[in-house]
Amino acid sequence: MQTGNEKDSKVVSLADRSSQASKESSSNAAAAKDEAFDWETTMKRNAENASRMKNDRNKANKGVIRSYRLKH
């Protein structure tokens, strides 16, 4: 039963609460990400990971070739 004093009610709507929280967090997070994001460090980290993975694959392939005696 609704009385017309919805403001005095202690019932909290989860839908309203989540939409307000997501709006606040998205605006704060977007501002923080833009300031802290650096393309150069990301590209450097990607290049280091790519070279490390390439070396690891080559090392693993050499081990497989040796263990299965694929090359004479």
Side-chain angles (χ1 to χ4, degrees), residues 4-56:
N5 290 337
E6 285 80 23
K7 293 180 182 178
D8 296 335
S9 175
K10 294 184 180 181
V11 178
V12 177
S13 172
L14 294 177
D16 293 340
R17 188 174 184 185
S18 65
S19 66
Q20 290 174 353
S22 65
K23 287 179 185 176
E24 291 173 1
S25 66
S26 66
S27 64
N28 292 342
K33 282 184 182 179
D34 291 340
E35 293 173 5
F37 191 74
D38 187 19
W39 281 106
E40 302 220 1
T41 57
T42 303
M43 291 187 328
K44 184 178 178 182
R45 191 176 339 125
N46 286 342
E48 289 171 355
N49 287 341
S51 66
R52 180 180 44 82
M53 287 173 55
K54 182 179 178 183
N55 291 336
D56 290 346

Side-chain angles (χ1 to χ4, degrees), residues 59-72:
K59 187 176 179 181
N61 287 341
K62 286 179 185 178
V64 168
I65 288 171
R66 254 188 260 122
S67 66
Y68 285 99
R69 298 180 185 170
L70 296 177
K71 286 190 176 179
H72 294 48

